[in-house]
Amino acid sequence: MADIPNEVTSALDKLGDSEKDAVLSYITNLQSAIKEKDQQIRDLKDKYGADDDTPMATDESQQEQEEQDDNGTPFPSMYESGEDFDKAGELKQEAADLKSSGDWEGALEKYTQAVLAAPPSALLYANRAMALLKLGRPKAAERDCDAALKENPDSAKALRARGKARKELGKYELALKDLSASQAIDFDEETVEDLKFLSEKHKEMEKAEAERRIMEKERLRKRAEDIKNAQEQARSSSKPSSSSARSSGGMPGGFPGGGMPGAGAGGMPGMPSMPGMPNMADIMSDPEVMEAMQNPKVMTAMQELMSGPGGPMGLMSNPGKLQELMSDPEVGPALQKLMSKFAGGAVPPGAGGAANNNDDEDIPDLDDLPDLE
């Protein structure tokens, strides 16, 4: 076991024997694990030829190394370490000469060597990005321009190169933004055509977006209309029609099946069904009664009658109300029809002139009276 600091030893001495042994065992295992990791790091450095002072590649740099163009070509290497500015200057000059002669592959190689020799400037990254564009590698060029703009956000050359790269990648809105910014900093005649192309694309995209919004708005409007129609249809289907009420023998407006509130089968409120008494469903399905019930005034009077104390039979004990109903030119005939159907033609006393009484039929002829002399 490696040496343990005095303060840790003092703390261990205050523990019981079993706790102290447990802590010491944990420390021993921890030290062994650290030694194993150190050995793994040394093995990796030996394998890749790195000195002890060379930092291992980070996850970010490894990810950058794995980046590649669409055709599988890896991106050019980025700066990691080194400060040989003289060598970097010579390499940049060689790259400029090769670029002037049209050797973009050679220029790219020299620019990459310059990037690796010393901390690169925004201009160096932008120049390498232009070489990548000439070689048809806009994806790698965009990455170099991002690095350049981190160094100098106002680099017109980096903005212009990135705008051209994004144009090739189909990122038209971003390309238009970059090229417009570069022109504001440093106008370039060759960039004008690119801006015209991107402006047309921008108009097309705005038009397509406007059409999309209109279509979406129309879709939502139609959906709302369909929902409204479905709700109205559901409400309509929940209301029984007058024909369905007639077919079921019901009274329009509240007496389905021919029944009356509080009545038994075929009876009236307060009265049990009796042998020989006509069935209420049959009465209410009679064409004359059903026709009378189509009159709202008659319907209202009948509903009040059925819901009153004692129902229709309670009317017999209220001659005033009966007289009022029977004297109404609309309600009286309908009530007379209903009672005549129910009572076999008998009309309650006090019905008034609205009913055609035939009481004279019960009066004996004078010739039948006995002679009192």
Side-chain angles (χ1 to χ4, degrees), residues 15-90:
L15 301 175
D17 291 339
S18 60
E19 290 126 347
K20 183 176 181 180
D21 290 342
V23 174
L24 289 174
S25 176
Y26 175 77
I27 292 175
T28 302
N29 293 334
L30 185 60
Q31 289 175 339
S32 298
I34 294 173
K35 288 180 180 179
E36 184 178 352
K37 291 295 182 184
D38 287 340
Q39 185 61 46
Q40 290 176 357
I41 293 173
R42 284 192 293 271
D43 292 342
L44 288 172
K45 287 181 177 180
D46 292 340
K47 180 177 179 180
Y48 293 103
D51 297 331
D52 289 342
D53 295 335
T54 302
M56 297 297 291
T58 62
D59 293 339
E60 183 178 356
S61 64
Q62 289 175 354
Q63 182 180 359
E64 290 175 348
Q65 291 172 3
E66 293 172 359
E67 291 179 338
Q68 58 187 21
D69 291 310
D70 293 337
N71 61 1
T73 304
F75 286 176
S77 300
M78 302 294 285
Y79 172 77
E80 292 183 3
S81 64
E83 295 186 1
D84 194 343
F85 292 98
D86 293 336
K87 181 179 179 180
E90 294 174 2

Side-chain angles (χ1 to χ4, degrees), residues 333-352:
L335 184 58
Q336 180 182 353
K337 287 181 183 179
L338 180 62
M339 290 189 168
S340 65
K341 295 289 183 182
F342 187 83
V347 180

Side-chain angles (χ1 to χ4, degrees), residues 223-258:
R223 183 180 178 187
E225 184 178 343
D226 290 343
I227 293 174
K228 181 180 178 181
N229 291 338
Q231 291 174 341
E232 291 179 352
Q233 185 176 1
R235 284 194 292 267
S236 299
S237 61
S238 65
K239 296 179 181 179
S241 63
S242 58
S243 60
S244 63
R246 288 193 293 268
S247 64
S248 62
M251 177 186 290
F255 305 130

Side-chain angles (χ1 to χ4, degrees), residues 71-270:
N71 61 1
T73 304
F75 286 176
S77 300
M78 302 294 285
Y79 172 77
E80 292 183 3
S81 64
E83 295 186 1
D84 194 343
F85 292 98
D86 293 336
K87 181 179 179 180
E90 294 174 2
L91 291 167
K92 285 189 284 186
Q93 185 58 52
E94 293 177 16
D97 294 340
L98 291 168
K99 180 177 68 172
S100 299
S101 64
D103 185 358
W104 291 102
E105 284 284 0
L108 175 61
E109 182 178 353
K110 293 300 181 180
Y111 279 135
T112 299
Q113 292 177 13
V115 166
L116 296 174
S121 64
L123 182 59
L124 176 55
Y125 274 133
N127 282 330
R128 189 171 75 168
M130 293 301 297
L132 288 165
L133 277 175
K134 291 293 184 179
L135 295 171
R137 301 177 61 183
K139 197 172 178 181
E142 183 184 28
R143 192 278 309 265
D144 271 11
C145 291
D146 288 341
L149 292 168
K150 285 182 181 178
E151 297 292 330
N152 179 13
D154 296 324
S155 171
K157 191 165 190 176
L159 285 168
R160 185 171 295 114
R162 190 171 70 174
K164 292 178 179 291
R166 286 176 167 176
K167 172 177 171 284
E168 296 300 321
L169 293 170
K171 302 177 180 179
Y172 298 128
E173 290 296 315
L174 294 175
L176 180 60
K177 181 179 178 181
D178 281 344
L179 291 181
S180 299
S182 71
Q183 291 291 81
I185 298 171
D186 180 26
F187 183 82
D188 177 63
E189 187 67 33
E190 295 180 359
T191 306
V192 173
E193 289 300 319
D194 289 326
L195 281 173
K196 287 182 180 178
F197 171 84
L198 293 170
S199 296
E200 289 298 322
K201 285 292 182 182
H202 177 72
K203 291 178 182 178
E204 291 175 9
M205 294 173 69
E206 280 191 332
K207 182 179 178 182
E209 178 61 20
E211 291 176 352
R212 187 197 66 80
R213 286 196 298 266
I214 292 173
M215 291 177 64
E216 179 66 13
K217 185 177 180 180
E218 177 63 20
R219 185 186 69 83
L220 293 175
R221 186 198 65 76
K222 188 175 183 303
R223 183 180 178 187
E225 184 178 343
D226 290 343
I227 293 174
K228 181 180 178 181
N229 291 338
Q231 291 174 341
E232 291 179 352
Q233 185 176 1
R235 284 194 292 267
S236 299
S237 61
S238 65
K239 296 179 181 179
S241 63
S242 58
S243 60
S244 63
R246 288 193 293 268
S247 64
S248 62
M251 177 186 290
F255 305 130
M260 294 186 179
M268 287 188 169

Side-chain angles (χ1 to χ4, degrees), residues 309-341:
M313 299 308 295
L315 191 62
M316 304 302 180
S317 59
N318 190 350
K321 183 64 175 177
L322 178 59
Q323 179 68 27
E324 177 187 344
L325 292 174
M326 294 300 290
S327 61
D328 188 288
E330 296 180 62
V331 178
L335 184 58
Q336 180 182 353
K337 287 181 183 179
L338 180 62
M339 290 189 168
S340 65
K341 295 289 183 182

